[in-house]
Amino acid sequence: MCIEKNPWERSIEFHGHSCPGLAVGYRVAGIALKKLKEYRAVDEELVAIVENDACGVDAIMLLTGCTLGKGNLIYRDHGKQVYTFGSRNSNRALRISVNGEVLHRQDPGVAELRKKVFGGAATEEEKKKFYEYQASRTDQILNMPEEDFCVTEEINFKMPDKARIFNSVQCGSCGEYVMESRARVKDGQVVCIPCADNYSRG
Ligand SMILES: [Zn+2]
Ligand SMILES: [Zn+2]
């Protein structure tokens, strides 16, 4: 019998593991789609701006269809758990700010346990304890009331231009092709960024 995986299982499969961060992205994506009355974007009808590049972004890409490759996932390196979604269909946009306490709640002893596990110094018993703790945090995040999880507001938002196709030019140094908008000029020659930075392949 073939049982289709549910969206959470598919998120885990895509991301590689289950973790509290993935649960955050899963919740954010679900709230955004529900509030904007949207489905997974086939093309660029939805745009997501993510202000971090942590685990949760994988669930957002999978569930909303906003992906790096389509150009409708915009990454801003702010290190914040804030997500903005805009819909070209309805011209509406939402800003979702995840409640800091959801993310930074630190139960006694966990910081130390985490250090041991990731430093490779944990015993089997400690590893088990840590992963059980992570699983319970994941579960909490998935099941907590929305109003405890985040603050959501509808905002005025100018949708970014659709992804454009750029011409390519050949780098005068390595000979590889580079998008015109990313090309640099060095010593009077058009070059790619790695060549302009004197990047060496070692
Ligand atoms: Zn993860
Ligand atoms: Zn080059």
Side-chain angles (χ1 to χ4, degrees):
M1 197 167 64
C2 174
I3 300 170
E4 211 174 297
K5 289 197 168 89
N6 67 36
W8 173 240
E9 289 166 337
R10 287 194 286 122
S11 301
I12 296 169
E13 185 177 68
F14 179 60
H15 181 54
H17 61 241
S18 166
C19 66
L22 187 66
V24 167
Y26 179 85
R27 289 295 309 264
V28 166
I31 291 165
L33 292 177
K34 186 183 77 187
K35 294 227 157 122
L36 290 173
K37 297 191 176 66
E38 288 282 356
Y39 298 97
R40 191 173 191 282
V42 172
D43 196 5
E44 293 181 52
E45 53 272 34
L46 262 183
V47 171
I49 298 173
V50 299
E51 299 190 28
N52 66 81
D53 62 351
C55 294
V57 174
D58 281 352
I60 287 173
M61 286 206 287
L62 180 79
L63 298 168
T64 67
C66 296
T67 67
L68 193 60
K70 276 194 289 190
N72 57 345
L73 181 94
I74 296 163
Y75 165 49
R76 299 218 172 115
D77 188 9
H78 298 168
K80 293 178 71 175
Q81 286 289 341
V82 173
Y83 303 86
T84 304
F85 295 89
S87 161
R88 290 188 202 279
N89 296 330
S90 62
N91 253 319
R92 291 172 59 217
L94 280 184
R95 182 182 191 272
I96 300 176
S97 173
V98 178
N99 184 347
E101 277 166 40
V102 173
L103 304 159
H104 302 296
R105 207 194 74 194
Q106 201 59 277
D107 292 81
V110 172
E112 208 179 316
L113 200 57
R114 180 189 303 273
K115 221 187 263 170
K116 274 188 177 173
V117 170
F118 289 106
T123 63
E124 284 307 310
E125 185 67 19
E126 285 168 330
K127 274 191 213 163
K128 189 165 167 267
K129 203 171 144 196
F130 177 72
Y131 287 110
E132 273 169 11
Y133 173 76
Q134 287 288 84
S136 79
R137 293 280 294 126
T138 302
D139 213 54
Q140 270 171 19
I141 292 166
L142 290 176
N143 294 299
M144 74 199 309
E146 191 177 305
E147 58 274 21
D148 294 342
F149 174 73
C150 67
V151 176
T152 305
E153 54 181 333
E154 195 136 345
I155 56 166
N156 281 322
F157 175 68
K158 190 186 167 297
M159 292 294 278
D161 291 338
K162 285 197 173 188
R164 282 184 290 162
I165 312 287
F166 288 97
N167 290 328
S168 286
V169 291
Q170 194 172 15
C171 170
S173 178
C174 68
E176 291 177 350
Y177 281 82
V178 51
M179 235 160 68
E180 209 169 60
S181 63
R182 296 291 179 275
R184 299 285 185 269
V185 177
K186 193 186 180 191
D187 302 329
Q189 216 179 20
V190 174
V191 294
C192 67
I193 292 173
C195 288
D197 292 348
N198 277 327
Y199 171 84
S200 140
R201 291 188 180 197

